[in-house]
Amino acid sequence: MSRQPKKNFLRYIVLNSRYNPELQKRSLENRQKKQEDFDNFVGKLKEYSRSNKPIWEAAAEDEARTRATGIEEQRRIAEEIQKRRDEIKRHSLNTN
């Protein structure tokens, strides 16, 4: 029977006890977000690998699609803001 797992566990305990408490707290707080980011990354890689194209080409296409969607969303929001401004101007001119 090997004692290696027990030895590794003891090393972990010693290292963890010497870890700066503030850094340890920050690391624990960020753990969930980092795990979600990693899961998203792996999910995207799996999605890219399903295509017949190389992963980097599929990633570039997805990035371009995401960028175009973001630009379209920003344009739509800008139009909506402009419409609201025009309505406010019309309303203020009608009341004066």
Side-chain angles (χ1 to χ4, degrees):
M1 187 176 261
S2 175
R3 293 187 173 250
Q4 193 64 23
K6 195 173 194 178
K7 200 175 202 181
N8 286 338
F9 180 72
L10 290 175
R11 283 186 188 152
Y12 172 77
I13 297 296
V14 170
L15 286 175
N16 202 21
S17 65
R18 293 182 183 173
Y19 196 39
N20 183 337
E22 292 174 17
L23 292 176
Q24 187 176 17
K25 181 181 177 188
R26 192 177 329 148
S27 177
L28 289 173
E29 289 171 353
N30 293 335
R31 179 178 290 172
Q32 182 68 26
K33 182 174 179 352
K34 286 185 178 185
Q35 184 64 41
E36 289 172 4
D37 289 346
F38 179 75
D39 290 344
N40 290 337
F41 173 74
V42 170
K44 289 282 189 181
L45 282 180
K46 286 180 181 179
E47 181 182 323
Y48 299 154
S49 68
R50 288 187 190 116
S51 90
N52 294 333
K53 301 174 185 174
I55 290 176
W56 57 88
E57 286 181 16
E61 287 177 0
D62 185 48
E63 185 178 318
R65 191 176 327 114
T66 302
R67 193 177 315 119
T69 304
I71 290 171
E72 179 63 30
E73 180 70 17
Q74 287 177 349
R75 188 189 60 74
R76 186 188 62 75
I77 291 172
E79 287 177 357
E80 189 176 308
I81 290 171
Q82 188 60 40
K83 284 179 185 178
R84 289 181 186 172
R85 286 181 182 163
D86 292 342
E87 286 178 25
I88 291 171
K89 284 181 183 179
R90 270 189 266 125
H91 181 68
S92 66
L93 290 175
N94 290 339
T95 57
N96 288 338

